Amino acid sequence: MSDPFADDLIALLPNLRRFALSVCRSRDVADDLVQITVERAFSGRAGFDPATRLDAWLFRILRNAWIDMVRRSKTRGIEIDIADAPDAPSVDGRKTVETVLMLKSARAEINRLPPDQREVILLICVEELSYKEAAGVLDVPIGTVMSRLARARIALSKAMGINPPPARFPDRAGDTA
Amino acid sequence: MSAVEFSDEDLMAYADGELADDRAEALDLALAGDAAPAQRLAQRLALFVDTRGLAAEALRPMLDEPVPDHLVQRVRDLAATAQPARTVVAFPARPAVRPLWHLPVAASVALAVGLGAGLMLRGPDAPGGPVSLAFLATDPETAQVLTTLASGNAATLTDGTRIVAVSTFRAADNALCREYEVTGATEAAFVSVACHDGQAWQMRLAVATSLRDDGAYVPAGSLETLDAYLVATAAGAPLAEDQEAAALAALSR
């Protein structure tokens, strides 16, 4: 018998792992975090409001599990540089070498951001949560989310040397990245 | 100078489609206005548009990594053992929280939950007798520790009992609560949640985590029980350090 909640959860496992990895920066700990999230999601599923996004609800559980974990162990997991982790094999053949290198370096720069900036980038730019949803995940006011996110993006653009010529506007596609 | 100023956060919100309509219209106008200021705005705006696309693209390959089979299997197992989903429409305004006693994890752990009632942290036959509960909620020394000790730190009471503050959070009723670990002088250990009712700290939960090494019962799922309790009672997220410090300081006033 199929359980749509479980199916949705399985579909989101890659996103949960990505978020977990960006939060804890250790692959082993990330999978532990995802597992704890899955367990808590089932024991607390009655608390999920289907009118809201399941991924935002799960990210919140995962992040709280991470905070618990840090406080219990009083250590910051082993920090590995996940930028050095092997790339997924599927590289779009149309991408130039330069693009691949730039994305790799962008990933490294995102990983170098302070944790509070990294997580807002993840939630909003990557997972496409709204500011309000991200504020709910992080338990902070929307204003805090916005100031962190702006700082994170300015830092990222500086690190990447992005200096877009004004001619690119109003062509807002912005997907030359 | 343009008459209307736009902050980085305005430009970012515009790039993210989150700027309020009237501000967005004003920004449209400004972007179409005088060449130099409009160019500066557009450049700044491009920064936010580009970084969003860049971050999304840079982290996309991580989604293609294979998910370990055990995680998928765990979801399936949990789904299989879950109670059949009910399709009754709930009252939407009321957050649905599963009562604690419906939680299978909690039920499987002995000696787990004592909501204010007299509670035994060890079996009556365990060597050393039950751990005294007096210090949990009423002992002034413990209360003092709960009010002052920042999470992640430890304190030792005069009788040798060691307390490690784990976290501080708000209960669903907004009471300030602390999760902490207690290790008695006799090596019995448990993790506990106490909440401040405005007057004093009241223990709401204690779960044995380990006992003496002379063979007493060691429940394996104690932290799961704690997790289940936190989920079931709709406990808030752990407070950040500064929030915790402020909330604790407010208790002493």
Side-chain angles (χ1 to χ4, degrees):
Chain A
M1 191 183 70
S2 170
D3 177 348
F5 183 79
D7 294 343
D8 292 347
L9 229 162
I10 289 173
L12 284 171
L13 285 176
N15 302 71
L16 288 174
R17 289 184 82 227
R18 177 166 71 177
F19 184 55
L21 203 48
S22 86
V23 167
C24 73
R25 321 237 274 149
S26 148
R27 278 168 197 277
D28 292 343
V29 177
D31 282 340
D32 286 350
L33 272 177
V34 172
Q35 169 138 0
I36 293 170
T37 304
V38 163
E39 313 267 348
R40 290 193 189 179
F42 271 95
S43 60
R45 75 186 276 186
F48 171 63
D49 175 0
T52 62
R53 282 178 63 159
L54 179 63
D55 56 354
W57 185 71
L58 294 169
F59 290 144
R60 183 185 160 97
I61 294 176
L62 189 149
R63 188 169 176 278
N64 289 342
W66 167 241
I67 294 174
D68 286 355
M69 202 184 262
V70 169
R71 294 245 170 98
R72 280 207 187 101
S73 66
K74 282 175 277 162
T75 58
R76 266 276 154 208
I78 313 121
E79 300 228 346
I80 59 158
D81 190 352
I82 59 176
D84 294 337
D87 279 319
S90 62
V91 173
D92 188 331
R94 289 167 301 170
K95 279 180 188 162
T96 64
V97 174
E98 288 80 8
T99 308
V100 171
L101 288 179
M102 183 174 79
L103 292 180
K104 198 169 172 167
S105 125
R107 194 158 17 138
E109 293 302 338
I110 290 169
N111 286 329
R112 224 164 267 145
L113 291 171
D116 60 346
Q117 294 185 17
R118 201 164 61 222
E119 63 191 4
V120 288
I121 288 254
L122 251 289
L123 291 174
I124 293 162
C125 298
V126 180
E127 297 293 349
E128 302 190 332
L129 263 55
S130 69
Y131 295 167
K132 190 177 167 199
E133 285 161 343
V137 170
L138 304 174
D139 238 352
V140 296
I142 288 181
T144 305
V145 167
M146 290 179 71
S147 60
R148 280 181 195 168
L149 186 61
R151 276 203 307 274
R153 282 153 88 164
I154 290 165
L156 178 61
S157 76
K158 276 186 186 147
M160 296 296 294
I162 296 177
N163 187 19
R168 289 180 61 178
F169 193 82
D171 172 21
R172 292 185 58 224
D175 56 5
T176 52
Chain B
M1 287 292 289
S2 81
V4 190
E5 295 287 324
F6 295 94
S7 67
D8 275 341
E9 288 180 15
D10 286 333
L11 294 171
M12 180 183 75
Y14 185 90
D16 293 340
E18 297 230 17
L19 194 61
D21 286 349
D22 52 338
R23 284 296 279 173
E25 281 166 26
L27 182 51
D28 285 338
L29 278 178
L31 286 165
D34 293 342
Q39 269 193 8
R40 276 201 309 274
L41 270 182
Q43 248 177 337
R44 198 69 180 164
L45 176 60
L47 181 161
F48 293 106
V49 174
D50 287 353
T51 45
R52 183 179 182 116
L54 183 63
E57 279 299 313
L59 300 186
R60 198 183 308 283
M62 291 169 74
L63 288 184
D64 297 332
E65 292 180 16
V67 173
D69 290 340
H70 77 267
L71 288 176
V72 177
Q73 194 51 50
R74 188 70 192 127
V75 175
R76 297 230 163 90
D77 292 348
L78 285 165
T81 56
Q83 292 164 345
R86 297 185 204 288
T87 48
V88 177
V89 179
F91 294 104
R94 193 171 140 201
V97 174
R98 189 197 280 196
L100 188 56
W101 52 87
H102 286 186
L103 290 170
V105 190
S108 69
V109 177
L111 308 176
V113 184
L115 295 158
L119 143 123
M120 303 261 287
L121 290 166
R122 322 175 56 169
D125 300 330
V131 173
S132 159
L133 288 182
F135 62 85
L136 277 177
T138 58
D139 172 64
E141 208 181 358
T142 301
Q144 179 67 18
V145 166
L146 291 179
T147 306
T148 54
L149 188 66
S151 292
N153 294 315
T156 305
L157 306 186
T158 44
D159 69 354
T161 302
R162 186 178 144 86
I163 295 183
V164 177
V166 176
S167 68
T168 304
F169 59 92
R170 293 275 175 195
D173 61 5
N174 205 40
L176 191 69
C177 300
R178 304 212 69 184
E179 178 192 334
Y180 57 101
E181 292 168 350
V182 178
T183 314
T186 53
E187 297 305 310
F190 51 94
V191 58
S192 180
V193 171
C195 300
H196 201 274
D197 64 2
Q199 305 291 321
W201 289 102
Q202 302 288 340
M203 194 189 60
R204 294 196 181 178
L205 173 88
V207 189
T209 50
S210 64
L211 297 175
R212 297 158 61 119
D213 26 346
D214 55 25
Y217 177 58
V218 180
S222 51
L223 292 181
E224 284 172 41
T225 304
L226 176 71
D227 290 342
Y229 169 81
L230 295 174
V231 171
T233 57
L239 300 182
E241 268 175 57
D242 50 340
Q243 294 171 321
E244 173 186 282
L248 293 176
L251 293 180
S252 313
R253 268 181 225 129

